[in-house]
């Protein structure tokens, strides 16, 4: 028996125990066989569908839309039940605590109290919040585009670039798209920013180049007077597909690279370009994917050839772990780094000025938004598209607009 099958069996046992435990809350507040049957029936259908997709889909096609939805529906019912279980477990601790105290109180020994219906109702009510949120995230949240604007000041920014604007997009993941009208709205929103330059920081597809075929015309319409530039992300290398031959993978990678000029983007593969304005210039440097623990094709030394250390520099690097591990302390001084990759895990809680949280923060130190260290900045774009989970909950798709300012002129 293969290792992944063993892991699947272990996971199934854990889920079965969790489901049985969560079902106790429902039994506490209702005797209706219909309600109980619907509860059990929906859960059974979701898990059966996931198993069917897993065992019927060849790894040679990579992650499919069917798999995304199967995982999405599983999370939609499983995460609320996890919250329900936490509520019930808290009551169980209290129940057994009361029993334990009675053991040491003469004449007060009593049986373990039954579950209280109002506790189960509260737990079910709390569980309904993430359930509704996940449904919203799948239906509408994945298209809830947000424009986030930042103004960054630098002492050594060339005067001609004071007020220069950059629109950053990342993680298109065209293989997940299903609604052309919604995607067109997102593309139009990018153009509405009327930035000087548009920079795309990787992951144009999920698995294969053909995923972008139906969307080339739409993204080709993006416009910026000073150009459109792009880099590759980890999904653009075809590493998540079981290719029949290495030649097939190489051919797909070539087609991925060809997609960028088709939509009007200048793809930088460990290369640089100068953007000029009124006789002055800034350096734009683009590296291939560099991620801690996997694909590390990015080569800063190669990418910066021809760039002077004194130049004002913008670096495009898909994975923010590159900035954390190599870029931020590099004495070549990269003023601004633009990344993506994390998607903010597509789920979390963000209330400006109050809270910013996602499980993604436990994996990436810089996981969403703007960060500064050593006088150098990185912006981690939350992504235009979505992947794995077919929705977004609290972490919305993002279009970033950054205005560069001369520090001496910001007073």
């Amino acid at each position: 028996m293969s290792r992944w099958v063993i892991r699947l069996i272990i996971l199934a046992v854990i889920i079965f125990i969790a489901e049985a435990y969560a079902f106790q809350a429902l039994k506490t507040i209702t005797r209706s066989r219909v309600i109980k049957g619907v509860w059990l029936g929906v859960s059974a259908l979701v898990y059966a569908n996931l198993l069917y997709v897993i065992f019927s889909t060849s790894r040679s096609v990579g992650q499919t839309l069917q798999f995304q939805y199967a995982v999405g529906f599983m999370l939609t019912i499983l995460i609320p039940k996890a919250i329900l279980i936490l509520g019930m477990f808290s009551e169980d601790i209290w129940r057994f605590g009361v029993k334990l105290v009675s053991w040491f109180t003469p004449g007060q020994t009593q049986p373990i109290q039954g579950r209280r219906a109002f506790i189960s109702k509260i737990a079910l009510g709390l569980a309904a919040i993430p359930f509704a949120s996940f449904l919203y995230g799948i239906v509408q949240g994945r298209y809830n585009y947000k424009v986030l604007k930042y103004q960054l000041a630098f002492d050594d920014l060339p005067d001609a670039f004071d007020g220069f604007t950059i629109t950053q997009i990342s993680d298109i993941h065209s293989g997940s798209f299903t609604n052309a009208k919604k995607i067109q709205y997102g593309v139009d929103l990018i153009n509405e920013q009327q930035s000087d330059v548009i920079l795309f920081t990787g992951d144009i597809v999920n698995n294969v180049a053909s995923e972008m075929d139906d969307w080339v015309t739409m993204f080709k319409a993006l416009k910026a007077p000073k150009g459109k530039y792009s880099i590759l992300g980890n999904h653009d290398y075809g590493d998540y597909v079981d290719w029949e031959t290495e030649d097939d993978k190489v051919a797909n990678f070539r087609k991925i690279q060809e997609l960028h000029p088709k939509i009007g983007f200048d793809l930088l593969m460990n290369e640089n370009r100068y953007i000029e304005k009124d006789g002055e210039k800034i350096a734009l440097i683009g590296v291939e994917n560099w991620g801690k623990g996997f694909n590390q094709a990015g080569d800063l030394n190669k990418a910066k050839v021809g760039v002077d250390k004194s130049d004002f520099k913008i670096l495009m690097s898909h994975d923010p772990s590159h900035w954390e591990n190599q870029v931020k302390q590099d004495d070549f001084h990269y003023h601004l780094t633009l990344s993506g990759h994390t998607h903010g895990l597509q789920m979390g809680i963000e209330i400006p000025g109050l809270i910013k949280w996602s499980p993604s923060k436990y994996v990436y130190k810089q996981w969403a938004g703007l960060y500064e260290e050593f006088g150098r900045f990185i912006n981690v774009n939350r992504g235009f598209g979505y992947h794995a989970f077919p929705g977004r909950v609290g972490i919305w798709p993002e279009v970033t607009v950054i205005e560069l300012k001369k520090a001496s002129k910001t007073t």
Side-chain angles (χ1 to χ4, degrees):
M1 187 179 295
S2 65
R3 183 177 300 177
W4 79 271
V5 172
I6 294 174
R7 290 175 178 173
L8 191 62
I9 292 173
I10 294 173
L11 179 62
V13 171
I14 293 173
I15 290 176
F16 177 80
I17 294 172
E19 285 283 346
Y21 191 57
F23 187 63
Q24 301 306 310
L26 187 68
K27 290 172 62 178
T28 302
I29 66 172
T30 182
R31 295 182 179 180
S32 172
R33 292 184 177 180
V34 174
I35 294 176
K36 294 176 183 177
V38 170
W39 175 290
L40 294 174
V42 169
S43 297
L45 284 173
V46 167
Y47 293 125
N49 180 57
L50 178 63
L51 289 173
Y52 171 76
V53 171
I54 289 174
F55 287 106
S56 66
T57 304
S58 170
R59 275 187 50 82
S60 64
V61 299
Q63 188 182 109
T64 63
L65 288 175
Q66 290 78 11
F67 179 80
Q68 287 190 18
Y69 279 100
V71 170
F73 289 132
M74 183 194 70
L75 292 175
T76 300
I77 67 167
L78 197 57
I79 291 180
K81 287 176 182 176
I83 293 175
L84 176 61
I85 289 170
L86 285 175
M88 293 174 59
F89 186 66
S90 298
E91 187 192 18
D92 284 343
I93 292 175
W94 178 84
R95 291 165 63 212
F96 283 102
V98 171
K99 174 64 177 178
L100 187 62
V101 170
S102 74
W103 284 346
F104 296 97
T105 305
Q108 298 296 319
T109 302
Q110 55 184 288
I112 296 176
Q113 298 181 21
R115 285 197 172 88
R116 292 168 291 179
F118 86 92
I119 294 293
S120 294
K121 289 179 181 179
I122 292 174
L124 283 166
L126 291 174
I129 296 173
F131 179 75
S133 298
F134 271 72
L135 286 180
Y136 172 81
I138 293 173
V139 174
Q140 183 61 37
R142 55 182 168 168
Y143 306 121
N144 189 22
Y145 300 103
K146 301 296 182 183
V147 178
L148 301 184
K149 296 186 177 183
Y150 303 102
Q151 187 181 89
L152 301 180
F154 300 91
D155 291 326
D156 53 350
L157 180 72
D159 289 342
F161 287 86
D162 181 48
F164 189 83
T165 53
I166 300 164
T167 285
Q168 180 198 2
I169 57 174
S170 193
D171 300 88
I172 288 175
H173 285 289
S174 55
S176 299
F177 291 164
T178 58
N179 190 320
K181 184 177 179 180
K182 297 290 187 179
I183 303 305
Q184 183 65 65
Y185 168 77
V187 170
D188 291 342
L189 193 63
I190 296 169
N191 274 335
E192 285 176 13
Q193 307 315 308
Q194 298 184 331
S195 291
D196 293 299
V197 67
I198 296 176
L199 305 180
F200 168 51
T201 46
D203 277 0
I204 197 169
V205 298
N206 293 343
N207 302 300
V208 297
S210 59
E211 295 169 1
M212 190 66 184
D213 288 351
D214 293 336
W215 311 98
V216 168
T217 300
M218 191 178 292
F219 281 88
K220 188 176 181 179
L222 291 172
K223 300 193 181 298
K226 289 297 183 179
K228 302 182 296 183
Y229 301 89
S230 58
I231 57 172
L232 298 175
N234 55 302
H235 281 268
D236 298 324
Y237 292 82
D239 291 338
Y240 306 107
V241 176
D242 231 355
W243 299 98
E244 290 188 9
T245 69
E246 186 63 24
D247 287 344
D248 290 338
K249 183 179 181 180
V250 171
N252 179 72
F253 186 52
R254 183 176 63 252
K255 291 177 182 178
I256 293 287
Q257 296 173 61
E258 293 170 351
L259 284 173
H260 292 255
K262 284 182 179 179
I263 61 173
F265 279 75
D266 183 0
L267 176 63
L268 305 184
M269 298 183 62
N270 297 321
E271 301 173 84
N272 63 77
R273 303 285 187 270
Y274 277 103
I275 300 175
E276 298 186 2
K277 184 180 180 183
D278 299 336
E280 295 185 296
K281 63 183 181 179
I282 60 175
L284 178 64
I285 301 166
V287 295
E288 292 194 58
N289 187 75
W290 192 102
K292 184 179 180 180
F294 57 101
N295 189 312
Q296 296 184 351
D299 187 335
L300 279 173
N301 289 326
K302 181 179 179 182
K304 71 182 182 183
V305 171
V307 176
D308 193 273
K309 185 177 181 179
S310 63
D311 289 332
F312 185 89
K313 297 172 285 295
I314 297 173
L315 173 68
M316 293 192 293
S317 181
H318 178 70
D319 191 320
S321 67
H322 191 202
W323 190 78
E324 175 64 22
N325 288 277
Q326 288 194 344
V327 176
K328 71 179 183 181
Q329 297 188 62
D330 192 309
D331 64 5
F332 200 61
H333 192 92
Y334 296 92
H335 297 73
L336 172 62
T337 299
L338 302 178
S339 298
H341 180 62
T342 72
H343 302 205
L345 205 66
Q346 296 171 209
M347 57 186 73
I349 303 172
E350 287 195 270
I351 303 175
L354 292 177
I355 185 172
K356 176 183 174 183
W357 178 88
S358 164
S360 184
K361 70 177 294 182
Y362 304 116
V363 181
Y364 293 92
K365 186 176 180 180
Q366 297 81 27
W367 61 273
L370 191 68
Y371 303 82
E372 179 188 4
E373 288 188 48
F374 310 109
R376 303 163 194 191
F377 294 89
I378 180 173
N379 183 66
V380 184
N381 184 285
R382 293 161 179 81
F384 181 89
Y386 48 92
H387 182 254
F389 172 62
R392 285 180 175 266
V393 181
I395 306 292
W396 311 120
E398 176 182 342
V399 175
T400 311
V401 178
I402 297 174
E403 181 182 13
L404 304 180
K405 296 294 293 182
K406 185 79 172 182
S408 59
K409 296 182 179 182
T410 59
T411 57

